[in-house]
Amino acid sequence: MNKDIQAVRDRIEELRRMVEYHNHRYYVLDDPEITDAEYDRIFNELVSLEEKYPQFDHPASPTKKIGGDPAPSFSPRKHSIPMYGLDNCFTMEKVRLFIERISKLIPEHELDFWVEPKLDGLAVEVIYQSGIYSAACTRGDGSTGEDVTANIKTVKNLPLSLIDPQNAPPYLEVRGEVVIPKNNFEKLNALKMQKGEKVFANPRNAAAGSVRQLDPKITAARPLYFFAFGAGVIHFRGENRWTAQSEIASGFRKLGIATVPGGKLCRDLNEIEQYFQEQASERHAGPFDIDGLVIKVNEKSRQDALGFTARSPRWAIALKFKAIQEKTRLEQISIQVGRTGVLTPVAHLAPVNVGGVMVSRATLHNENEVRAKDLKIGDLVLVQRAGDVIPEVVRPLKEERTGQEKNFVFPRTCPSCHTQAIKIKNEVAWRCVNLSCPARLEQGLIHFASRQALDIEGLGKKWIRIFVSHGLIKKLTDIFRLQKDDLLKLERMGEKSASNLLDSIQKSKQDVTLPRLIFGLGIRHVGQQTAKALAERYRDLDELAGEDEESLQAIADIGPEVASSIISFFNNPDNRNLLEEFRQLGLWPVSSKVSSQEMPLKDKKFIFTGSFPGLSREKAQELVEQLGGKAVNSVSKNVDYVVAGEKPGSKLARARNIGLQVIDPDEFLKLIDNKD
Ligand code: IVH
């Protein structure tokens, strides 16, 4: 390498060190040494040298924090050690019990606690190799998260190269929370509102939504910060190991990694309480959302001795702040009609800022709730965010009433189609039972098109409302009959968006699987899990629709309520027609799990009566079910085989009476054998 080139390389390296250093002063220490203009000069010199001499380009250069190319999706990535959640509590008494519990488990040790704020963001693990940023992964389900390396790289206060990388641990997993400052969150939402986009409900959602952008340039434009709270695997160099939470925190800071601000060592419950009071009274002052404290046994060896339960470490607990309450006016109560026809009262509130989030609506759940809380329209009410997210009306301030407040009368008709509402026995909810009610239809369509169901991209609430109000969609299957000409007549629907929408509708038809379609039907009580269980048992919608209640209940996790809801859904003639239309449209997925070869006794119903030497009744029933058959209890014409053992009961007589086929245990075993 000639001397000039060598000088360029040295200068590039020097500039990188300078930029990292000033980033650290600015973003981590909050104590800049130079002006923004001076910083820009250094940064720009580095950018232009890297452009001119691409042979010296490096992925960990601080100029690379601007976001790389978009990715098609995030790939899963396994954590070396699972990322656990935390047990929550709300009172000092629970903290006392926590300390008492662990003191009993390791009685011979004095305990110190590392206590720090619990930030409200997204947990992420960041990996450094030889002091250089190498990967990042979300917490995900605790054992596997999503690889968000390209996005986390853009986080403002995260160094791409640690201070003194040669002496940093050769391999280091840093765990922490990605957060967005409260004021930036408000600005971001204001911007989204301007663009007519959906706003984030709280800073946590904003942080999570920003990290999970497929285009890292969008992430780079968001003011995200990372604060470390713990470590995963670390390979240390030499003997200098960190043996406590407090050492991990100071070790991270020495490397240039920001840690959760305000961590403190407490020796007993009193010190913890004092610190909690301080933090609770200052919680709104800080730039980030804090929802409590995390109390951790400080010494690593004691943590190891205490270990983990299935969900969380025994050595840590979160002490949450009480929900923030604010006063506001209950201006109106409206009624929302859900997909299943349930009429839900919704409180319309004078907009109020509850701990950094504007609240103007809150569900009141049902008529009883409104009555129990004794709410009147016009009341001043206390509002809080339950679990700090979902807003909730706590109670009216009765002492503030003027006499002008109005009683709320729960309507007896559906506000959308004006059909008489009914109340099902033992239920609190009033329902609209009109299957073609436009409000129900709208909600049903939103559910049908949603990500977990048909996943029709571009068909959201907004368009559904428009299609329904223009009469273009009157039932689910009308989605597949939308014509381009009809779409083009609508305001704000251009040629391109119309084609895109029609394409994604066609695509959804081809891609849909049986569990998604079952879920999409919106049968009461049939969520994703149940839909999956049904799709594993039945070949297609026809088989499911032809099922009886007893056999449905034989499926694990399906109880009487769910079974009866499924039966009444398919008993409805409109829904039967819907199935026929699905079939004609070619929207007819078949189960990937059930094939007739694996299920030779498919649909065959068995009754067992009497005892079976050498074969328990349970085992016999299990064998039948493994081959796709069903073991039922009551004698009816639908039963295919009656297996009569020794000392059969009255069922045998009844079965003979109606002419059912009766076999003995040997014939039963032969039947099973032949089918194997
Ligand atoms: S310690 C095994 N410390 O809270 C130790 N967690 O409810 C678990 N969190 O997944 C984490 N601030 O996302 C810890 N100072 C803090 C935290 C914190 C926020 C989050 C983290 C975790 C969740 C558990």
Side-chain angles (χ1 to χ4, degrees):
M1 207 187 306
N2 77 34
K3 266 206 178 128
D4 289 349
I5 287 284
Q6 213 159 22
V8 168
R9 193 194 57 190
D10 291 349
R11 177 64 181 160
I12 287 180
E13 277 171 8
E14 184 184 13
L15 288 166
R16 280 181 189 154
R17 276 194 303 273
M18 287 163 82
V19 172
E20 284 280 14
Y21 175 78
H22 292 297
N23 279 350
H24 183 245
R25 300 245 26 139
Y26 185 91
Y27 288 113
V28 182
L29 305 179
D30 200 11
D31 183 19
E33 263 174 15
I34 56 173
T35 64
D36 289 0
E38 283 167 318
Y39 175 88
D40 288 346
R41 243 194 331 269
I42 303 172
F43 191 87
N44 291 336
E45 184 186 342
L46 177 58
V47 171
S48 57
L49 281 181
E50 283 179 349
E51 271 171 10
K52 207 158 150 199
Y53 300 92
Q55 66 268 44
F56 300 134
D57 211 7
H58 194 281
S61 166
T63 58
K64 296 293 182 288
K65 290 181 81 76
I66 48 170
D69 294 334
S73 65
F74 297 112
S75 23
R77 190 184 163 110
K78 217 169 151 51
H79 299 289
S80 341
I81 312 176
M83 286 181 83
Y84 284 86
L86 283 171
D87 263 354
N88 283 335
C89 71
F90 287 90
T91 60
M92 283 312 295
E93 173 56 14
K94 286 280 159 59
V95 177
R96 191 185 66 73
L97 290 170
F98 159 75
I99 296 179
E100 195 176 274
R101 199 163 56 235
I102 55 180
S103 305
K104 272 194 198 135
L105 288 170
I106 41 170
E108 65 277 22
H109 300 291
E110 275 279 301
L111 291 173
D112 280 341
F113 298 93
W114 182 253
V115 188
E116 64 189 12
K118 184 168 191 294
L119 295 174
D120 204 10
L122 178 78
V124 166
E125 178 168 86
V126 181
I127 302 173
Y128 288 91
Q129 299 208 46
S130 312
I132 302 294
Y133 175 87
S134 87
C137 178
T138 61
R139 175 175 158 205
D141 65 5
S143 64
T144 305
E146 286 177 320
D147 188 320
V148 285
T149 306
N151 295 15
I152 294 300
K153 194 173 191 176
T154 71
V155 167
K156 302 288 172 275
N157 65 341
L158 194 77
L160 297 185
S161 142
L162 298 176
I163 294 175
D164 197 8
Q166 280 79 27
N167 288 314
Y171 182 86
L172 174 63
E173 292 179 354
V174 185
R175 294 172 169 190
E177 201 82 349
V178 173
V179 287
I180 200 165
K182 286 186 274 193
N183 62 342
N184 289 104
F185 159 74
E186 276 159 25
K187 277 190 220 151
L188 180 62
N189 264 355
L191 211 71
K192 282 186 138 282
M193 206 114 82
Q194 253 176 25
K195 290 196 205 154
E197 293 173 11
K198 208 172 139 199
V199 298
F200 291 117
N202 49 49
R204 185 194 30 239
N205 288 357
S210 303
V211 169
R212 298 195 69 263
Q213 289 288 335
L214 288 171
D215 183 353
K217 291 214 170 50
I218 300 182
T219 310
R222 306 268 167 89
L224 296 174
Y225 289 79
F226 174 87
F227 294 103
F229 56 62
V233 170
I234 308 177
H235 300 166
F236 287 100
R237 190 187 298 276
E239 290 313 299
N240 200 6
R241 285 155 196 274
W242 300 327
T243 59
Q245 275 311 130
S246 51
E247 288 179 12
I248 292 177
S250 59
F252 281 166
R253 282 195 299 274
K254 280 199 195 110
L255 296 172
I257 300 165
T259 53
V260 173
K264 188 183 153 95
L265 204 57
C266 294
R267 271 163 310 176
D268 54 30
L269 191 66
N270 272 338
E271 287 188 13
I272 296 176
E273 176 154 26
Q274 214 176 353
Y275 181 61
F276 181 69
Q277 303 300 356
E278 274 167 34
Q279 290 290 325
S281 66
E282 287 168 16
R283 63 181 290 204
H284 302 301
F288 298 99
D289 248 4
I290 295 174
D291 56 359
L293 295 183
V294 182
I295 302 161
K296 306 173 197 178
V297 169
N298 190 39
E299 297 279 335
K300 192 82 185 57
S301 60
R302 314 268 192 274
Q303 292 183 355
D304 293 343
L306 287 163
F308 296 82
T309 67
R311 276 193 53 245
S312 50
R314 281 198 195 85
W315 44 266
I317 194 166
L319 171 60
K320 305 274 283 261
F321 296 132
K322 288 219 185 62
I324 313 158
Q325 299 189 337
E326 298 293 344
K327 257 195 245 178
T328 191
R329 183 79 60 195
L330 173 60
E331 293 179 334
Q332 192 52 269
I333 298 178
S334 71
I335 298 288
Q336 208 170 46
V337 188
R339 168 166 60 82
T340 55
V342 173
L343 307 185
T344 306
V346 178
H348 293 244
L349 305 157
V352 60
N353 187 324
V354 186
V357 174
M358 290 309 284
V359 171
S360 57
R361 271 165 168 255
T363 174
L364 296 171
H365 304 288
N366 54 54
E367 185 183 21
N368 289 4
E369 177 103 353
V370 182
R371 204 174 301 137
K373 287 189 172 158
D374 188 18
L375 290 169
K376 290 178 195 279
I377 296 162
D379 265 338
L380 262 184
V381 293
L382 276 186
V383 176
Q384 72 178 22
R385 275 155 55 206
D388 260 7
V389 183
I390 303 154
E392 145 185 289
V393 176
V394 186
R395 62 180 172 89
L397 298 168
K398 292 188 193 169
E399 60 283 9
E400 307 262 4
R401 280 185 180 158
T402 62
Q404 300 293 303
E405 297 76 16
K406 291 199 194 74
N407 280 330
F408 168 67
V409 186
F410 202 93
R412 293 293 177 256
T413 58
C414 168
S416 172
C417 67
H418 309 292
T419 307
Q420 186 81 30
I422 65 151
K423 197 168 183 166
I424 298 172
K425 217 170 89 190
N426 300 330
E427 281 195 9
V428 284
W430 286 90
R431 287 169 193 283
C432 166
V433 287
N434 173 12
L435 283 172
S436 40
C437 165
R440 288 189 60 176
L441 176 64
E442 247 175 63
Q443 298 297 326
L445 286 162
I446 292 170
H447 177 80
F448 188 69
S450 70
R451 260 223 342 244
Q452 298 84 355
L454 273 272
D455 192 17
I456 307 179
E457 216 187 305
L459 187 59
K461 249 185 221 167
K462 196 184 86 186
W463 283 116
I464 286 175
R465 196 154 291 162
I466 295 173
F467 295 153
V468 171
S469 68
H470 282 72
L472 289 174
I473 298 187
K474 297 199 175 71
K475 53 181 185 295
L476 294 187
T477 41
D478 289 344
I479 293 178
F480 303 97
R481 301 198 181 90
L482 287 171
Q483 298 294 324
K484 198 160 184 186
D485 290 347
D486 293 329
L487 298 186
L488 290 176
K489 283 181 206 143
L490 301 169
E491 230 174 275
R492 308 234 323 255
M493 175 70 85
E495 178 74 36
K496 182 97 182 109
S497 13
S499 309
N500 285 347
L501 181 58
L502 293 176
D503 285 351
S504 55
I505 290 173
Q506 285 314 312
K507 186 169 178 301
S508 79
K509 200 165 87 178
Q510 282 148 23
D511 292 354
V512 73
T513 57
L514 187 59
R516 281 168 173 275
L517 182 59
I518 295 175
F519 174 68
L521 292 174
I523 305 171
R524 261 185 95 202
H525 305 308
V526 178
Q528 277 177 286
Q529 277 310 315
T530 310
K532 216 170 122 208
L534 292 169
E536 277 171 15
R537 196 71 184 73
Y538 303 102
R539 216 183 103 76
D540 56 18
L541 285 181
D542 260 354
E543 271 197 20
L544 172 60
E547 194 50 294
D548 63 42
E549 205 156 334
E550 199 176 355
S551 319
L552 280 169
Q553 281 193 48
I555 301 175
D557 295 337
I558 296 193
E561 208 182 357
V562 185
S564 108
S565 161
I566 296 171
I567 296 289
S568 72
F569 181 90
F570 289 111
N571 276 345
N572 180 302
D574 287 341
N575 293 337
R576 286 277 182 176
N577 288 340
L578 196 66
L579 293 204
E580 202 38 56
E581 288 190 41
F582 280 160
R583 195 200 318 269
Q584 280 164 16
L585 284 164
L587 183 71
W588 200 256
V590 235
S591 176
S592 55
K593 289 276 159 55
V594 184
S595 85
S596 46
Q597 283 123 42
E598 289 163 30
M599 296 286 178
L601 293 184
K602 183 128 203 55
D603 283 340
K604 297 284 181 243
K605 294 202 176 76
F606 286 77
I607 277 200
F608 294 90
T609 174
S611 61
F612 306 91
L615 180 71
S616 75
R617 172 94 60 108
E618 288 72 32
K619 184 71 198 160
Q621 294 182 345
E622 208 181 292
L623 286 170
V624 163
E625 268 161 22
Q626 271 169 11
L627 298 176
K630 278 158 228 153
V632 297
N633 281 321
S634 49
V635 179
S636 78
K637 274 204 199 116
N638 298 331
V639 172
D640 297 282
Y641 297 99
V642 179
V643 189
E646 282 172 18
K647 297 203 187 120
S650 60
K651 280 182 191 161
L652 180 60
R654 266 185 285 145
R656 289 222 159 98
N657 242 342
I658 55 173
L660 298 181
Q661 184 177 2
V662 179
I663 57 174
D664 63 31
D666 282 337
E667 289 169 46
F668 169 67
L669 288 177
K670 255 189 239 148
L671 189 69
I672 298 236
D673 251 6
N674 286 345
K675 306 284 178 192
D676 251 353

